[in-house]
Amino acid sequence: MLRKLAYVVLALLLLTVVGNWLFLANVNDYQADGERQMAVLDAPVRVVRDGQGVPYVFADSLEDAIRAQGFVTAQDRLLQIEITRHLVNGRLAEVLGESVLETDRRHRVVGLHRHGARRAAGLSPAGRRITDLYLEGLNDYIQNHRDDHPFGLKLLGLEAQPWTLADAMSLRTFLNWASSQNLGSELVAQAIVDKLGAERAQQILPLSLNPDDGSEREVLVPPVSGLSLRAAAGWYQAGPPAFALGSNSWAMSGTRSAGGVPVLVNDPHVDSRNLPGNWHPIGLITPELRAVGLAGAGVPGFAVARTTHVAFGVTNAYGDVIDLYVETVDPDNPDHYLEGERSIAFQVIDETLKVRDRGSAAGFREVPLTIRLTRRGPVISDHGMTLADGRAISMRWTAAEADGPEPGLDRLIMARNVEEAAAHIAQLDAPYNFNVVDTAGNIAHITAGRVPVRTRGDGALPRPVTDGNDDWAGYIAADAMPGSRNPSRGWLGNANHRIVPGDYPFAYSTYFAASWRYRRMRELLDGEQRFAAEDHWQFMRDTKNLMAAGVAPVMSVALGADPALADLGERLAGWDHHDDTDSVATTIFQATYRHFARLTFEDELGPELTARMLAIYYFWHERLFRMVQDGAPDWFDDVRTPATETRDDLFRQAAAAARAELTALLGPDPAAWTWGRVHEVSFFSPWVPGKRAAGILGGGNRPAPGSGETLNRAGYAFGSPYDAKFIDSLRFVADLSDPDKIWSVLSGGASGRQFDPHLSDQVDPWLSGEPRYLWFSDAAIAADARSELLLTPN
């Protein structure tokens, strides 16, 4: 009797769980079949969704296609779009409370919303047309289909409101901000100069290499008096890390491709663990145009796509578009600053931040914010920084001065060849690399962005203002930006490394990725072999670590000299330098090298500044590798001890610390220290972040192959070891010889709605390497069609 009762109770519980799940899934669903009105259309539009939930829009005109893109993107991603708008406009604390107040404060100080409104006002009717069309569709969904909205909005106490052109341009300004990554590098560089002096600091400031011509670039250290600079953590990362775009991309000509026409490959590296990820897949098909690819939620057009005529992909070019200036406050009038002998009044902006507060009668509390500006830009040191008395730091950013009638990216899908694509890319403010191929057989690398022509210095450190002369003599012209067309080797590519040649006449940047990923790209792609799309798909998943190939043999010999560490040295000696999940040597190397980096710098910089520097991955990686190769006795000696330590002494100290750490994590037997056990990527629910919730509401916690140094990118933050953060958010191969499909997989899914199967249905093939596709031809789309929605005008 008791057993039967237990079975009944268990069955009732199971039915309750299943019923609640089905109920929640149903109330958070959207209409994908049948018919809905969309008042702004000129003619009916069909939206066909495939087996992955990807929408393909069939319209009679480009205008209606763009309107429908806004509509269906909102169907899939309205919660994501609304949260992003609050983030961009410095209003996220209104939703999430105190924890994001400092992010709001920084975005208000930088002025993303102010610059967005200014850009919106300056667009020509033609320049704003695509964005206006997109907003018509987005706002139709927001205003007229509230029964279809995701219930996550209600859980957060939000009701979606129509978007303005200023909102849309603020979002684009934010994406520029998130890609402008050298701000933190400048702050750290100045702190190191303050600590060590210019001559000693020079030895460890960033080193960048161009593997194609062998040129190198070091930072120029001007004579700057000590600032005693300290800054809050948020200023060391320009935008939220999730939007800090890195990437691999390459293009292969028809002479090197199995199909005889070019192939475009792209895998953007961002923190896309929060499902559904950053990219929204979609196809737009009209009688004149066919475009299939990926867009950012809330942005019309595509960032990565194949069209009737071209295919294009994007990476971060790391052009230096931000300079910091050391301002002197007028000692006789603190409301003024000095330019030589001239005293100038600060411009002052007063704003109010709102912070969600359930204990308040209004539901929020207000926080006043005063922003001072010089002629160069906002005084950022007023907000979370300290420095020497009488000094201030202002920030000049090219996007804050951007103007022009065209935004650029939204018209890229209209390009009929590489040269037309270059003309559209020239309109962009953000520092991006584009690789573009066309059906005529051309391949091109085109660099976007407004990079200043500097008349003094290289922009690597804050520059004292000594007079009122402008040290930006305009911007590097579009045709003088780094790039190439149809190289003789039959391919071109970039991996955020230094792309400018040694004889480049402008101070383009001092901040780039280390060269390992690009060097591996060269190993795979150089030669005369022809490659198919399948080959490129596998290359993106390559785990060969060329940095480790240069360091591990030296490390192995050092460990072999200590009997207590010889077993670890033996594993390193036999390693093939692939960062695979079943590799023990990878775990030993990564843990040891991390401790080695800390030990190298901590004695002279101190723990806090060392942690700041090591958190900026591109700042030190190439430099430390060179130091390992050269021996660098001055840096490997620990100045805190009477002994004279060597590089190998530090390797042994680091390995001992790594053994203790890994033993605590994985047990005492090194055979159990496989990379996949410690190196994980967690796919979070859009509602509840964190590893615990990932296994229930998200995409789970998964072993992650690769590392920060491999083409299959899985980099972790130095202060949070082993949690893979910067990953291949997308893998994309467009073979122009294939009429039917694009090879494509996301680290998430097409839908942003909880309980939708398309929230995370691409995670498994993303991990396994199983091919997934976006469809290009009508026949291929029809063959995988799972739903069809007819959008009709009034």
Side-chain angles (χ1 to χ4, degrees):
M1 182 67 181
L2 289 176
R3 180 177 296 178
K4 289 183 179 180
L5 182 60
Y7 284 143
V8 170
V9 172
L10 182 61
L12 289 173
L13 286 173
L14 182 61
L15 287 171
T16 300
V17 170
V18 172
N20 287 338
W21 187 276
L22 291 175
F23 170 75
L24 290 171
N26 186 57
V27 299
N28 198 37
D29 202 1
Y30 57 87
Q31 183 176 340
D33 282 295
E35 183 175 326
R36 294 211 80 152
Q37 277 197 349
M38 186 176 169
V40 296
L41 291 175
D42 293 329
V45 169
R46 287 192 307 125
V47 180
V48 177
R49 290 182 181 267
D50 67 11
Q52 298 181 118
V54 176
Y56 298 85
V57 173
F58 291 83
D60 290 343
S61 66
L62 178 63
E63 288 78 8
D64 274 351
I66 297 296
R67 291 178 178 118
Q69 182 185 18
F71 186 96
V72 299
T73 303
Q75 277 192 310
D76 288 335
R77 302 292 184 89
L78 185 58
L79 177 60
Q80 184 180 31
I81 288 171
E82 280 300 300
I83 290 295
T84 301
R85 173 163 58 173
H86 279 74
L87 170 67
V88 168
N89 287 326
R91 297 180 53 203
L92 196 56
E94 295 176 23
V95 181
L96 301 182
E98 188 78 27
S99 64
V100 293
L101 175 59
E102 291 309 310
T103 298
D104 279 359
R105 194 191 310 274
R106 285 192 300 276
H107 288 182
R108 295 286 190 94
V109 170
V110 171
L112 302 180
H113 62 303
R114 297 192 297 273
H115 301 317
R118 177 181 52 79
R119 285 303 311 275
L123 292 177
S124 69
R128 62 181 285 173
R129 180 59 174 156
I130 295 294
T131 304
D132 280 343
L133 291 167
Y134 183 89
L135 295 182
E136 286 179 16
L138 173 64
N139 289 335
D140 184 282
Y141 182 79
I142 288 173
Q143 294 175 293
N144 301 324
H145 301 276
R146 294 192 179 275
D147 60 320
D148 217 39
H149 289 190
F151 70 79
L153 289 171
K154 292 183 179 179
L155 290 177
L156 292 173
L158 280 175
E159 183 172 337
Q161 299 299 321
W163 274 55
T164 66
L165 183 63
D167 287 329
M169 297 311 296
S170 296
L171 173 55
R172 295 187 191 213
T173 306
F174 166 77
L175 295 174
N176 187 331
W177 171 245
S179 300
S180 305
Q181 289 292 303
N182 66 295
L183 171 61
S185 179
E186 285 196 50
L187 294 173
V188 165
Q190 181 60 52
I192 292 173
V193 172
D194 282 347
K195 183 80 173 180
L196 303 177
E199 183 177 351
R200 185 68 167 159
Q202 178 76 69
Q203 299 172 13
I204 61 169
L205 292 181
L207 170 70
S208 59
L209 283 72
N210 182 336
D212 286 329
D213 69 359
S215 61
E216 300 181 1
R217 178 70 181 266
E218 291 191 328
V219 167
L220 301 176
V221 183
V224 181
S225 57
L227 297 183
S228 303
L229 174 66
R230 295 172 64 88
W235 285 113
Y236 291 93
Q237 178 76 47
F243 294 88
L245 186 68
S247 308
N248 303 318
S249 182
W250 63 86
M252 185 150 279
S253 72
T255 62
R256 297 284 314 283
S257 300
V261 293
V263 175
L264 187 282
V265 182
N266 195 196
D267 55 300
H269 305 152
V270 293
D271 184 356
S272 58
R273 296 172 298 168
N274 196 332
L275 296 175
N278 304 68
W279 306 108
H280 183 243
I282 191 169
L284 304 181
I285 297 101
T286 75
E288 295 81 24
L289 175 71
R290 182 175 298 269
V292 178
L294 293 302
V299 182
F302 296 84
V304 183
R306 175 184 176 182
T307 77
T308 309
H309 304 290
V310 302
F312 52 86
V314 64
T315 72
N316 197 331
Y318 286 114
D320 185 350
V321 296
I322 291 176
D323 278 353
L324 299 182
Y325 292 86
V326 182
E327 309 277 359
T328 300
V329 178
D330 186 342
D332 299 323
N333 187 348
D335 293 331
H336 288 61
Y337 61 97
L338 298 176
E339 289 185 355
E341 299 299 320
R342 185 183 177 197
S343 181
I344 304 171
F346 287 104
Q347 179 186 349
V348 178
I349 298 174
D350 289 312
E351 297 193 7
T352 301
L353 299 166
K354 293 182 179 180
V355 183
R356 185 169 184 172
D357 184 353
R358 296 182 185 277
S360 168
F364 59 84
R365 62 184 178 86
E366 294 186 342
V367 178
L369 176 65
T370 298
I371 304 163
R372 298 190 298 172
L373 297 96
T374 72
R375 294 196 304 140
R376 284 153 289 282
V379 178
I380 63 174
S381 57
D382 288 349
H383 309 278
M385 292 188 193
T386 61
L387 64 163
D389 289 344
R391 304 291 186 90
I393 292 181
S394 63
M395 186 193 81
R396 189 175 186 182
W397 177 33
T398 61
E401 303 175 16
D403 50 22
E406 301 278 349
L409 184 61
D410 52 13
R411 294 181 175 272
L412 189 52
I413 57 172
M414 302 177 194
R416 292 169 296 179
N417 52 50
V418 159
E419 295 308 319
E420 289 187 6
H424 292 301
I425 291 168
Q427 303 295 325
L428 285 169
D429 303 323
Y432 296 144
N433 288 310
F434 282 89
N435 287 333
V436 185
V437 302
D438 66 27
T439 52
N442 298 297
I443 65 174
H445 165 218
I446 305 161
T447 305
R450 294 163 62 92
V451 178
V453 175
R454 295 178 170 87
T455 61
R456 287 178 282 189
D458 60 7
L461 287 96
R463 192 182 75 75
V465 176
T466 56
D467 53 44
N469 295 328
D470 190 350
D471 62 345
W472 283 10
Y475 302 97
I476 301 174
D479 59 3
M481 292 286 275
S484 62
R485 304 282 201 281
N486 299 320
S488 59
R489 65 180 177 177
W491 72 275
L492 51 80
N494 48 75
N496 315 123
H497 67 293
R498 182 168 174 259
I499 53 175
V500 295
D503 59 355
Y504 194 67
F506 305 109
Y508 177 80
S509 184
T510 59
Y511 182 81
F512 294 105
S515 58
W516 323 120
R517 286 180 287 125
Y518 181 69
R519 291 181 188 275
R520 180 55 175 163
M521 203 182 289
R522 288 181 55 176
E523 286 188 351
L524 293 170
L525 301 179
D526 275 347
E528 298 181 0
Q529 183 178 349
R530 288 177 177 263
F531 295 114
E534 295 89 337
D535 300 312
H536 295 289
W537 189 255
Q538 293 305 319
F539 292 158
M540 284 189 290
R541 301 184 64 250
D542 182 83
T543 60
K544 181 69 175 288
N545 184 336
L546 290 185
M547 185 199 77
V551 174
V554 181
M555 185 187 291
S556 173
V557 171
L559 302 193
D562 184 343
L565 301 169
D567 60 326
L568 304 186
E570 289 176 5
R571 290 184 180 275
L572 290 174
W575 182 28
D576 64 0
H577 310 119
H578 282 265
D579 292 336
D580 295 326
T581 53
D582 61 355
S583 170
V584 170
T586 297
T587 312
I588 295 169
F589 176 80
Q590 291 283 341
T592 301
Y593 201 61
R594 184 170 51 83
H595 285 289
F596 174 78
R598 176 183 56 79
L599 291 169
T600 298
F601 301 110
E602 195 171 72
D603 60 321
E604 295 198 45
L605 297 182
E608 182 179 353
L609 181 53
T610 297
R612 289 278 190 231
M613 184 187 78
L614 296 180
I616 302 177
Y617 191 72
Y618 294 165
F619 189 98
W620 58 275
H621 240 226
E622 199 82 68
R623 176 67 75 179
L624 184 58
F625 180 86
R626 177 65 58 82
M627 291 164 65
V628 169
Q629 302 303 309
D630 294 346
D634 288 348
W635 282 98
F636 296 132
D637 176 38
D638 188 338
V639 299
R640 299 168 297 187
T641 71
T644 301
E645 287 83 7
T646 66
R647 174 198 65 194
D648 290 359
D649 289 329
L650 261 61
F651 272 138
R652 287 186 282 270
Q653 291 179 30
R659 184 189 286 279
E661 176 184 288
L662 294 171
T663 296
L665 287 172
L666 303 174
D669 182 6
W673 297 352
T674 56
W675 188 227
R677 285 192 65 197
V678 69
H679 189 239
E680 288 188 331
V681 57
S682 301
F683 295 101
F684 310 140
S685 159
W687 293 349
V688 187
K691 298 183 73 169
R692 291 185 179 180
I696 302 172
L697 295 175
N701 303 301
R702 312 297 187 93
S707 67
E709 299 81 55
T710 60
L711 287 178
N712 189 353
R713 193 81 174 275
Y716 55 84
F718 191 88
S720 302
Y722 313 128
D723 289 337
K725 186 175 184 179
F726 300 104
I727 59 176
D728 296 0
S729 60
L730 158 72
R731 298 191 184 110
F732 182 93
V733 179
D735 180 352
L736 297 188
S737 72
D738 187 339
D740 292 323
K741 66 183 182 297
I742 300 163
W743 296 58
S744 176
V745 70
L746 296 170
S747 59
S751 173
R753 295 180 182 241
Q754 189 70 58
F755 307 112
D756 189 320
H758 301 307
L759 176 70
S760 61
D761 60 337
Q762 297 187 46
V763 169
D764 285 337
W766 178 86
L767 279 165
S768 69
E770 179 186 349
R772 284 290 186 273
Y773 308 108
L774 294 172
W775 306 115
F776 195 70
S777 68
D778 286 355
I781 295 169
D784 194 31
R786 305 299 172 87
S787 67
E788 183 170 323
L789 177 66
L790 184 66
L791 299 175
T792 59
N794 284 340

